[in-house]
Protein backbone atom coordinates (compact mmCIF):
# COMPACT_ATOMS: atom_id res chain seq x y z
CA UNK A 1 0.00 0.00 0.00
CA UNK A 2 1.34 3.45 -0.85
CA UNK A 3 0.93 6.07 1.83
CA UNK A 4 -0.09 9.68 1.27
CA UNK A 5 0.95 12.51 3.56
CA UNK A 6 -0.27 16.00 2.74
CA UNK A 7 -0.50 19.40 4.38
CA UNK A 8 -3.54 21.59 3.78
CA UNK A 9 -4.19 25.20 4.73
CA UNK A 10 -7.81 25.01 5.88
CA UNK A 11 -9.69 28.25 5.26
CA UNK A 12 -12.19 29.73 7.68
CA UNK A 13 -15.70 28.23 7.53
CA UNK A 14 -14.62 24.92 5.96
CA UNK A 15 -15.58 21.68 7.71
CA UNK A 16 -12.67 19.47 8.73
CA UNK A 17 -14.21 16.40 7.05
CA UNK A 18 -15.03 15.20 3.54
CA UNK A 19 -18.83 15.40 3.74
CA UNK A 20 -21.53 17.48 5.43
CA UNK A 21 -24.35 15.06 6.13
CA UNK A 22 -26.32 17.42 8.34
CA UNK A 23 -25.77 20.83 6.78
CA UNK A 24 -26.05 23.99 8.84
CA UNK A 25 -29.12 25.08 10.82
CA UNK A 26 -30.92 25.87 7.57
CA UNK A 27 -29.95 22.54 6.02
CA UNK A 28 -27.48 24.19 3.63
CA UNK A 29 -24.38 22.15 2.78
CA UNK A 30 -21.15 23.76 3.95
CA UNK A 31 -17.73 23.64 2.26
CA UNK A 32 -15.74 20.53 3.19
CA UNK A 33 -12.27 19.12 2.53
CA UNK A 34 -13.71 17.43 -0.57
CA UNK A 35 -14.05 20.87 -2.19
CA UNK A 36 -10.27 21.25 -2.02
CA UNK A 37 -8.65 17.80 -1.93
CA UNK A 38 -9.29 15.10 -4.53
CA UNK A 39 -7.37 12.20 -3.00
CA UNK A 40 -9.36 9.10 -1.97
CA UNK A 41 -9.22 7.48 1.45
CA UNK A 42 -7.17 10.03 3.36
CA UNK A 43 -8.20 11.44 6.70
CA UNK A 44 -7.33 14.43 8.84
CA UNK A 45 -5.01 13.89 11.79
CA UNK A 46 -6.89 15.72 14.52
CA UNK A 47 -9.26 18.48 13.53
CA UNK A 48 -9.82 22.21 13.31
CA UNK A 49 -13.17 23.79 14.14
CA UNK A 50 -15.30 25.35 11.42
CA UNK A 51 -14.29 28.82 12.59
CA UNK A 52 -10.57 28.03 12.88
CA UNK A 53 -8.00 28.16 10.11
CA UNK A 54 -4.58 26.82 9.34
CA UNK A 55 -2.47 23.72 9.09
CA UNK A 56 -4.06 20.31 8.72
CA UNK A 57 -2.16 17.07 8.19
CA UNK A 58 -3.96 14.33 6.23
CA UNK A 59 -2.85 10.77 5.62
CA UNK A 60 -4.01 7.23 4.89
CA UNK A 61 -1.38 5.87 7.30
CA UNK A 62 -3.61 4.66 10.11
CA UNK A 63 -0.91 3.93 12.69
CA UNK A 64 0.60 7.38 12.27
CA UNK A 65 -2.81 9.03 12.42
CA UNK A 66 -3.57 7.21 15.69
CA UNK A 67 -0.20 8.11 17.19
CA UNK A 68 -0.41 11.82 16.37
CA UNK A 69 -4.04 12.07 17.52
CA UNK A 70 -3.48 10.33 20.85
CA UNK A 71 -3.12 12.62 23.89
CA UNK A 72 -0.82 9.98 25.37
CA UNK A 73 2.06 11.06 23.12
CA UNK A 74 1.81 14.85 23.70
CA UNK A 75 2.40 15.91 20.11
CA UNK A 76 2.97 19.70 19.91
CA UNK A 77 0.65 21.94 17.88
CA UNK A 78 1.23 25.69 17.55
CA UNK A 79 -1.44 28.35 17.09
CA UNK A 80 -1.47 32.05 16.30
CA UNK A 81 -4.31 33.55 18.29
CA UNK A 82 -5.73 37.05 17.90
CA UNK A 83 -7.35 38.10 21.15
CA UNK A 84 -9.37 41.09 22.27
CA UNK A 85 -7.29 43.52 24.38
CA UNK A 86 -3.62 43.12 25.38
CA UNK A 87 -2.94 40.27 27.84
CA UNK A 88 -0.73 41.13 30.79
CA UNK A 89 2.00 38.89 32.16
CA UNK A 90 -0.31 37.46 34.81
CA UNK A 91 -2.75 36.23 32.13
CA UNK A 92 0.11 34.81 30.05
CA UNK A 93 1.50 32.96 33.06
CA UNK A 94 -1.93 31.50 33.80
CA UNK A 95 -2.11 30.14 30.25
CA UNK A 96 1.43 28.76 30.56
CA UNK A 97 0.75 27.02 33.85
CA UNK A 98 -2.66 25.59 32.92
CA UNK A 99 -6.17 26.90 33.41
CA UNK A 100 -9.44 25.35 34.47
CA UNK A 101 -11.90 24.95 31.60
CA UNK A 102 -15.17 23.28 32.58
CA UNK A 103 -14.14 20.18 34.57
CA UNK A 104 -10.63 19.99 33.15
CA UNK A 105 -7.28 21.64 33.88
CA UNK A 106 -5.14 22.20 30.80
CA UNK A 107 -1.56 21.00 30.61
CA UNK A 108 1.25 23.55 30.76
CA UNK A 109 1.65 25.35 27.44
CA UNK A 110 4.24 27.53 25.73
CA UNK A 111 2.73 31.02 25.35
CA UNK A 112 4.23 34.26 24.10
CA UNK A 113 2.88 37.65 23.12
CA UNK A 114 3.93 38.30 19.52
CA UNK A 115 5.57 41.68 18.95
CA UNK A 116 3.94 42.04 15.52
CA UNK A 117 0.96 40.54 13.71
CA UNK A 118 1.90 37.30 11.89
CA UNK A 119 1.99 37.42 8.10
CA UNK A 120 -1.40 36.03 7.20
CA UNK A 121 -3.82 36.78 4.38
CA UNK A 122 -6.98 38.63 5.45
CA UNK A 123 -9.74 36.36 6.68
CA UNK A 124 -12.83 35.98 4.53
CA UNK A 125 -15.14 37.17 5.99
CA UNK A 126 -13.09 39.68 8.02
CA UNK A 127 -12.84 39.41 11.78
CA UNK A 128 -15.45 41.56 13.51
CA UNK A 129 -13.81 43.57 16.25
CA UNK A 130 -14.52 46.77 18.11
CA UNK A 131 -12.59 49.80 16.88
CA UNK A 132 -12.21 51.13 20.40
CA UNK A 133 -10.71 47.89 21.75
CA UNK A 134 -7.11 46.93 20.90
CA UNK A 135 -6.18 43.40 19.88
CA UNK A 136 -3.04 41.31 20.31
CA UNK A 137 -1.57 38.13 18.81
CA UNK A 138 -0.35 35.23 20.91
CA UNK A 139 1.61 32.17 19.89
CA UNK A 140 0.43 29.16 21.89
CA UNK A 141 1.90 25.66 21.67
CA UNK A 142 -0.19 22.85 23.17
CA UNK A 143 0.48 19.15 23.62
CA UNK A 144 -3.20 18.26 23.83
CA UNK A 145 -6.30 19.03 21.82
CA UNK A 146 -9.51 19.30 23.80
CA UNK A 147 -12.62 20.60 22.04
CA UNK A 148 -12.28 24.37 21.43
CA UNK A 149 -9.45 24.40 23.92
CA UNK A 150 -7.58 27.51 22.81
CA UNK A 151 -10.76 29.62 22.72
CA UNK A 152 -11.78 28.39 26.16
CA UNK A 153 -8.30 29.04 27.55
CA UNK A 154 -8.09 32.65 26.41
CA UNK A 155 -11.68 33.33 27.49
CA UNK A 156 -10.93 31.92 30.96
CA UNK A 157 -8.27 34.60 31.52
CA UNK A 158 -10.47 37.38 30.12
CA UNK A 159 -9.16 37.74 26.55
CA UNK A 160 -11.65 36.31 24.02
CA UNK A 161 -10.26 34.80 20.82
CA UNK A 162 -11.13 36.69 17.63
CA UNK A 163 -9.11 34.67 15.11
CA UNK A 164 -7.42 31.29 15.49
CA UNK A 165 -4.86 29.91 13.03
CA UNK A 166 -2.89 26.67 13.51
CA UNK A 167 0.60 27.54 12.27
CA UNK A 168 2.48 24.35 13.07
CA UNK A 169 2.17 20.64 13.78
CA UNK A 170 5.41 19.38 15.31
CA UNK A 171 8.10 20.49 12.85
CA UNK A 172 5.60 21.06 10.02
CA UNK A 173 4.81 24.67 9.20
CA UNK A 174 2.14 26.70 7.45
CA UNK A 175 4.85 28.80 5.75
CA UNK A 176 4.38 29.24 1.99
CA UNK A 177 1.02 27.47 1.86
CA UNK A 178 -1.88 29.80 0.90
CA UNK A 179 -5.43 29.20 2.22
CA UNK A 180 -7.25 26.47 0.30
CA UNK A 181 -4.02 24.95 -1.06
CA UNK A 182 -2.33 21.67 -0.18
CA UNK A 183 1.03 20.04 -0.84
CA UNK A 184 2.70 16.66 -0.38
CA UNK A 185 5.15 16.33 2.47
CA UNK A 186 8.78 16.23 1.39
CA UNK A 187 10.69 12.95 1.89
CA UNK A 188 12.53 14.61 4.80
CA UNK A 189 9.26 15.64 6.45
CA UNK A 190 7.84 12.12 6.04
CA UNK A 191 11.00 10.62 7.51
CA UNK A 192 10.77 12.92 10.52
CA UNK A 193 7.10 12.03 11.05
CA UNK A 194 7.70 8.30 10.82
CA UNK A 195 10.41 8.54 13.47
CA UNK A 196 7.62 9.21 15.94
CA UNK A 197 6.18 5.76 15.31
CA UNK A 198 9.44 4.25 16.49
CA UNK A 199 10.01 6.51 19.49
Amino acid sequence: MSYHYILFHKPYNVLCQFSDREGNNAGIQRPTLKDYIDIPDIYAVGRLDLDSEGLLLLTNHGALQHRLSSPKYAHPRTYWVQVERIPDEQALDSLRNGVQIQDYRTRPATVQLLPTEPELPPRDPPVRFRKTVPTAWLEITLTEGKNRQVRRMTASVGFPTLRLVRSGIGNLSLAGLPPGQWRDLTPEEVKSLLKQLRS
Side-chain angles (χ1 to χ4, degrees):
M1 177 179 181
S2 66
Y3 289 122
H4 287 289
Y5 309 90
I6 73 167
L7 288 181
F8 175 57
H9 186 158
K10 187 188 94 64
Y12 178 81
N13 214 28
V14 172
L15 280 177
C16 197
Q17 56 200 45
F18 281 88
S19 64
D20 183 14
R21 294 186 185 88
E22 298 171 7
N24 63 10
N25 292 337
I28 297 169
Q29 298 294 296
R30 297 163 292 187
T32 70
L33 299 179
K34 190 175 182 180
D35 295 304
Y36 297 89
I37 301 168
D38 188 21
I39 300 174
D41 302 322
I42 63 168
Y43 303 95
V45 177
R47 61 188 295 277
L48 282 172
D49 294 320
L50 187 70
D51 53 357
S52 300
E53 311 160 64
L55 199 62
L56 198 61
L57 173 66
L58 298 100
T59 184
N60 59 347
H61 192 156
L64 180 69
Q65 184 184 25
H66 173 74
R67 176 76 179 231
L68 295 182
S69 299
S70 171
K72 176 181 174 183
Y73 298 105
H75 190 64
R77 291 172 289 276
T78 300
Y79 301 85
W80 289 329
V81 190
Q82 185 182 25
V83 296
E84 197 170 76
R85 299 186 300 107
I86 315 294
D88 55 20
E89 202 59 32
Q90 182 179 353
L92 297 177
D93 280 340
S94 293
L95 294 172
R96 290 174 184 131
N97 295 326
V99 293
Q100 195 75 24
I101 49 176
Q102 297 175 320
D103 59 349
Y104 176 75
R105 187 168 186 83
T106 62
R107 290 179 184 169
T110 303
V111 181
Q112 63 173 325
L113 183 64
L114 294 177
T116 58
E117 183 175 333
E119 288 189 26
L120 288 168
R123 201 188 76 179
D124 182 22
V127 173
R128 293 173 63 185
F129 57 90
R130 295 180 286 173
K131 290 181 180 177
T132 57
V133 179
T135 69
W137 283 89
L138 305 177
E139 183 176 85
I140 300 179
T141 300
L142 305 178
T143 54
E144 58 188 337
K146 299 287 183 180
N147 184 39
R148 299 184 75 78
Q149 179 172 339
V150 171
R151 295 177 191 278
R152 287 176 171 157
M153 286 174 68
T154 68
S156 77
V157 293
F159 299 88
T161 292
L162 300 172
R163 186 178 183 188
L164 178 58
V165 182
R166 183 156 62 196
S167 60
I169 300 172
N171 296 325
L172 302 172
S173 166
L174 194 62
L177 193 60
Q181 300 296 309
W182 63 269
R183 69 168 177 85
D184 291 299
L185 265 64
T186 66
E188 293 77 17
E189 288 169 335
V190 172
K191 187 176 179 183
S192 176
L193 267 184
L194 295 182
K195 274 184 184 175
Q196 299 184 51
L197 285 178
R198 299 189 290 272
S199 62

